[in-house]
Amino acid sequence: MFSWLGKQGGGRERGGGTDVVQTVTGGLRDLYLRKLLPLEEHYRFHEFHSPALEEADFENKPMVLLVGQYSTGKTTFIRYLLEQDFPGMRIGPEPTTDSFIAVMYGETEGNVPGNALVVDPKKPFRKLGRFGNAFLNRFMCSQLPNEVLKSISIIDSPGILSGEKQRISRGYDFCQVLQWFAERVDRIILLFDAHKLDISDEFSEAIKSFRGQDDKIRVVLNKADQVDTQQLMRVYGALMWSLGKVIDTPEVLRVYIGSFWAHPLRNTDNRRLFEAEAQDLFKDIQSLPQKAAVRKLNDLIKRARLAKVHAYIISYLKKEMPSVFGKENKKKELINKLPEIYIQLQREHHISAGDFPEVKKMQEQLENCDFTKFHSLKPKLIEAVDNMLANKIASLMNLIRQEESNMPTDMVHGGAFDGTMAGPFGHGYGEGAKEGADEEEWVVAKDKPAYDEIFYTLSPINGKISGISAKKEMVTSKLPNSVLGKIWKLADCDGDGMLDDEEFALAKHLIKIKLDGYELPGTLPSHLVPPSHRKPFQTAE
């Protein structure tokens, strides 16, 4: 069924999901080389949009790009995840990181300078050479043996400053470099300091360069322990307002609030919030290896749609050019009419407006082109890409689903991730329904005297109250009937439709758990089973 995948999918590394990624990688690479690359080369796609993909682009581990203004804690964030220093790391309140640093796995610690990095065929950075020595002198790879880096790579970027001088003095197009990385990474994390919410002009341009990659962006509001709860509410509101002016999407970005460094919290009022937010962010990053195949598939689809649109634009411009006289004037006319040409092509080929490249950027690039050297439309090249999108990609997606369901989950391990998984400091340990899990005494016993007083006011018969009597008391919690129904099911351990004093106390305990903001368990944990019900309950299980 999948003979077109190619034979490059062999080999097995740590993590069960790796086989899936490698099989899909072989299929994607084969599809790109046979179906999409000919279209890109024929219509000079690489000159206008993105360089051709290489083997390393398909084989590389998931990458996380960190972007933010200076002193927002980007480098400290990496140090926090890895739980160790990395070569080339510099941390300080001033703008310390002045380079792009790719933090990757290596058997020995060391740095690889940019000029050497872009000629290494095993690294996905070869196409960065087009940005010249000014960039390559500010680019390096930091390698070290770290468990986290076996699953992901992290890209640290220079701290963004305000002012035109900073943009000019870089010597390379900073936003173009960010765009290059954005097209290839799996996650883009924008870091903000709770005390520095202003978005400078260059930071605004940097964020705009991520256009089309909105699904990869996450926002971290760092150093949130340095403000109290009231200030944090205002800071969060101001951040969302600032982002709304820069990111032109109706959807609200996911913002993770916390303090991502290994130091004591200055303000502990929001400790539970910070722990929950850190857990959510860790889960998002940990899932990247599992989702790597889908991400590469998604990026290839986006690239194919753009390549098709580009082919239609280029071939249209070629068709409209005169054969002998007035070429230059016609070129200027076509460039000025490009917005109208976009609308015409949308109608003619039934293409969404969102698939077209930015008009202004396209007009600037076309200024330096000779339209007479463009190629006419070749339907066979378009048909090959359409066939890839309609049939081959769909088959590959089915393969991913089938294989992933049969494979153990491949997740990021090591560093700060291991500290959140198990033990008494794992998120939610000893809270809610998990409270009392490692205690000998029944956790409900401490509040049972108060629950007993209520129980005996409900006129128990033979030591039990009916469902009607229990309902009168339980509805005073004002919880929805659907929640109370679940609590009743969990508390009625023997399933006789009545509650004894221990079962009633358990029901009140579960109500308290829900009112405190915790989730109810799907099944009753063994440590919550009332002592007099434990043997028959566990036998029934």
Side-chain angles (χ1 to χ4, degrees), residues 14 26 34 80-81 123 151 190 230 254 257 267 273 295 316 325 375 400 403 440 455 472 492 499 511 531 537 539:
R14 185 187 65 79
R34 290 196 297 110
Y80 176 72
L81 293 183
K123 296 284 192 296
S151 304
L190 305 178
Q230 187 180 21
R254 176 65 165 97
I257 303 170
N267 192 321
L273 170 67
R295 195 275 301 170
Y316 180 89
F325 301 109
H375 293 292
I400 293 173
E403 293 295 326
E440 290 185 14
F455 177 78
K472 288 178 183 177
D492 186 13
L499 300 181
I511 287 172
F537 189 89
T539 303

Side-chain angles (χ1 to χ4, degrees), residues 190-480:
L190 305 178
L191 278 100
F192 289 87
D193 185 330
H195 291 287
K196 295 177 185 172
L197 291 183
D198 61 307
I199 299 179
S200 68
D201 293 343
E202 190 177 22
F203 195 15
S204 176
E205 290 300 317
I207 294 173
K208 288 175 182 175
S209 70
F210 299 143
R211 179 179 178 265
Q213 311 295 336
D214 304 325
D215 57 317
K216 298 179 182 180
I217 298 176
R218 303 291 184 271
V219 178
V220 170
L221 179 56
N222 202 9
K223 305 182 184 180
D225 64 319
Q226 298 182 16
V227 295
D228 60 32
T229 305
Q230 187 180 21
Q231 290 171 328
L232 185 58
M233 286 175 57
R234 292 173 179 166
V235 165
Y236 179 80
L239 174 61
M240 298 306 292
W241 180 81
S242 298
L243 287 172
K245 292 171 63 181
V246 178
I247 300 177
D248 190 22
T249 58
E251 297 83 10
V252 177
L253 286 175
R254 176 65 165 97
V255 178
Y256 298 91
I257 303 170
S259 185
F260 297 93
W261 64 346
H263 291 272
L265 296 176
R266 292 189 182 180
N267 192 321
T268 58
D269 293 348
N270 299 304
R271 184 185 186 102
R272 254 185 72 187
L273 170 67
F274 297 159
E275 288 174 354
E277 292 286 283
Q279 186 72 10
D280 287 350
L281 180 58
F282 284 174
K283 283 181 181 176
D284 187 65
I285 296 174
Q286 280 183 302
S287 67
L288 293 180
Q290 186 185 8
K291 297 175 181 175
V294 176
R295 195 275 301 170
K296 288 173 182 174
L297 190 66
N298 186 54
D299 283 355
L300 188 69
I301 294 170
K302 283 196 284 189
R303 188 182 179 99
R305 292 169 71 94
L306 179 59
K308 264 184 63 181
V309 168
H310 179 77
Y312 285 131
I313 295 169
I314 296 300
S315 59
Y316 180 89
L317 297 175
K318 168 68 175 178
K319 184 181 72 173
E320 293 297 311
M321 286 297 288
S323 54
V324 185
F325 301 109
K327 293 180 182 178
E328 198 60 36
N329 289 334
K330 187 63 176 178
K331 174 183 169 180
K332 290 178 182 177
E333 180 190 334
L334 289 170
I335 290 174
N336 291 331
K337 288 175 61 180
L338 194 60
E340 298 168 33
I341 294 170
Y342 276 16
I343 294 170
Q344 184 178 335
L345 292 175
Q346 288 168 31
R347 291 172 182 165
E348 189 177 332
H349 300 286
H350 309 289
I351 303 170
S352 167
D355 288 347
F356 281 75
E358 200 175 342
V359 175
K360 286 184 180 178
K361 185 180 175 184
M362 194 69 179
Q363 286 173 326
E364 289 172 6
Q365 290 172 314
L366 288 170
E367 290 282 355
N368 302 316
C369 296
D370 183 353
F371 287 14
T372 59
K373 293 183 179 179
F374 287 166
H375 293 292
S376 301
L377 190 65
K378 272 196 174 181
K380 284 188 177 180
L381 291 175
I382 299 290
E383 286 169 13
V385 173
D386 284 337
N387 175 258
M388 178 187 85
L389 293 171
N391 302 312
K392 305 299 187 183
I393 291 288
S395 300
L396 196 53
M397 192 68 223
N398 289 333
L399 175 67
I400 293 173
R401 288 176 182 147
Q402 291 169 15
E403 293 295 326
E404 283 187 348
S405 64
N406 299 325
M407 291 284 185
T409 303
D410 188 20
M411 298 184 76
V412 181
H413 295 278
F417 297 101
D418 285 352
T420 64
M421 291 182 182
F425 296 99
H427 178 64
Y429 186 91
E431 298 177 358
K434 297 176 184 177
E435 183 186 357
D438 54 358
E439 297 175 10
E440 290 185 14
E441 187 180 357
W442 188 37
V443 69
V444 184
K446 64 180 185 294
D447 296 318
K448 191 170 182 295
Y451 299 148
D452 282 348
E453 288 183 20
I454 301 171
F455 177 78
Y456 288 110
T457 65
L458 299 174
S459 306
I461 300 173
N462 297 326
K464 294 192 174 187
I465 59 172
S466 65
I468 294 174
S469 298
K471 180 180 178 180
K472 288 178 183 177
E473 172 59 29
M474 290 171 70
V475 294
T476 62
S477 67
K478 299 182 180 179
L479 288 170

